[in-house]
Amino acid sequence: MQKFIIPAGGVLIGTGLITMLYGWETAGGTDMAAQISSVGFSGVSDIGMTSYGPIAFALIAVGIALAVYGNATAWKETGGY
C-alpha cells in the first residue's frame, strides 16, 4: 500500500507548492508574480492571501500526513529492513 501512499503524498506536496505561487497578492489586488516590483523589499505588510492560499496549505498538510503515514508503516511490508 505504501507504494501508492508515499508517491501520492509527494504529488500533493508538489501541487500545494505550485498552487502557493498563486496564493499571494499585493494590497492592490494584483498577482504577486505579475507585480513583484510593486511589493519591493519592505512590502511584507502589503502582502495578502488569495483564495488559493488555504487550498495550497491544505494540499501540503494532507501530502505531509500521507508521506509520514506511509513511511511510518513501511517497515511492516519490508520485514524491518
Side-chain angles (χ1 to χ4, degrees):
M1 187 65 155
Q2 277 71 22
K3 59 184 170 184
F4 299 114
I5 292 176
I6 296 171
V11 167
L12 287 176
I13 292 169
T15 304
L17 291 174
I18 295 297
T19 306
M20 196 173 282
L21 291 174
Y22 301 102
W24 307 101
E25 66 182 2
T26 58
T30 57
D31 187 23
M32 287 280 295
Q35 300 293 328
I36 194 69
S37 62
S38 67
V39 176
F41 291 109
S42 62
V44 175
S45 61
D46 295 332
I47 296 173
M49 190 178 295
T50 65
S51 61
Y52 291 116
I55 295 170
F57 285 118
L59 286 171
I60 292 171
V62 171
I64 289 173
L66 284 176
V68 167
Y69 174 75
N71 282 320
T73 59
W75 62 272
K76 292 178 183 176
E77 290 188 12
T78 61
Y81 296 102

